[in-house]
Amino acid sequence: QSALTQPPSASGSPGQSVTISCTGTSSDVGGYNYVSWYQQHPGKVPKLMIYEVNKRPSGVPDRFSGSKSGNTASLTVSGLQAEDEADYYCSSYVGSNNWVFGGGTKLTVL
Amino acid sequence: QVQLQESGPGLVKPSQTLSLTCTVSGGSIRTDNYYWSWIRQPPGKGLEWIGYIYYSGNTYFNPSLKSRVAISLDTSKNHFSLKLTSVTAADTAVYYCARETTSYIAFDIWGQGTTVTVSS
């Protein structure tokens, strides 16, 4: 399985919205509603932000939202805050009890 | 609150076997709600799923690593382990253990990670 494709970087000013894409194929992103997103601050552990495309675990602000269209999933961060600056990784189930991650996107808050 | 903690050697010689253990506290590893996973992150790079084990002992691996990976479970010690054989410098990474939950179908709890360097 190949890694999912994410843009290496994204940026936005405080208060703005930014969307990060995650492109796969019909065998992963397009084939299952099991896309999740993880936030990782430098030197820290990844944190689950979105699961099953658009669901938020308890404690994750509703500024974070997820969606999917065809083979591309997206993470939108609204009302950007300084603490949102981090790396973001998407992940998708690919069937047969296998998973694949994206290459990661560095989000900068200007 | 369930917590995961990795342990094992931080330095492994090329061609040898990398062995790590993940100890689960605050909950039992012997439950049908979770898959116990290993994920790694090479320096400055992205995440790579290695594989996971179910409480029944069934294991599932990334096809690219399948020939070199083994994951086992010790319910008496409430931990699970990773073995990666014939390591090279490309296996240098932070290794995380994580829990995949059938409730979320995602990796909801992660260990702190342990750095493993492959070098002679």
Side-chain angles (χ1 to χ4, degrees), chain A residues 29-98:
Chain A
V29 174
Y32 304 92
N33 287 325
Y34 295 140
V35 176
S36 45
W37 290 90
Y38 302 85
Q39 177 192 65
Q40 186 180 35
H41 288 106
K44 299 298 185 182
V45 177
K47 176 187 176 183
L48 177 64
M49 304 300 284
I50 296 287
Y51 68 99
E52 293 178 22
V53 177
N54 56 13
K55 299 176 183 176
R56 277 187 312 276
S58 174
V60 173
D62 60 6
R63 302 185 294 103
F64 291 85
S65 62
S67 63
K68 189 183 86 166
S69 177
N71 297 334
T72 298
S74 299
L75 172 72
T76 297
V77 186
S78 305
L80 269 177
Q81 298 182 6
E83 61 261 36
D84 299 332
E85 184 163 296
D87 293 329
Y88 290 85
Y89 293 91
C90 62
S91 178
S92 176
Y93 182 68
V94 301
S96 301
N97 280 292
N98 265 251

Side-chain angles (χ1 to χ4, degrees), chain B residues 1 7 14 18 20 25 29 32 34 41 43 48 50 53 58 80 86 88 92 108 110 117-118:
Chain B
Q1 176 76 350
S7 59
L18 179 160
L20 296 174
S25 58
I29 202 171
D32 60 359
Y34 309 117
Q41 186 171 33
E48 180 181 34
I50 298 171
I53 188 165
N58 288 351
F80 61 106
S86 304
T88 69
T92 293
D108 67 332
W110 297 61
T117 301
V118 178

Side-chain angles (χ1 to χ4, degrees), chain B residues 83-117:
Chain B
K83 289 190 186 300
L84 180 65
T85 63
S86 304
V87 298
T88 69
D91 295 310
T92 293
V94 176
Y95 285 76
Y96 295 100
C97 57
R99 186 182 79 173
E100 193 251 307
T101 168
T102 55
S103 299
Y104 286 173
I105 314 297
F107 302 99
D108 67 332
I109 296 178
W110 297 61
Q112 289 301 303
T114 188
T115 299
V116 178
T117 301

Side-chain angles (χ1 to χ4, degrees), chain B residues 58-70:
Chain B
N58 288 351
T59 52
Y60 307 90
F61 303 119
N62 185 323
S64 68
L65 297 169
K66 187 174 183 177
S67 63
R68 298 194 292 131
V69 175

Side-chain angles (χ1 to χ4, degrees), chain A residues 1-22:
Chain A
Q1 59 233 19
S2 300
L4 306 175
T5 300
Q6 296 182 235
S9 63
S11 63
S13 300
Q16 289 186 333
S17 293
V18 65
T19 297
I20 298 170
S21 62
C22 170

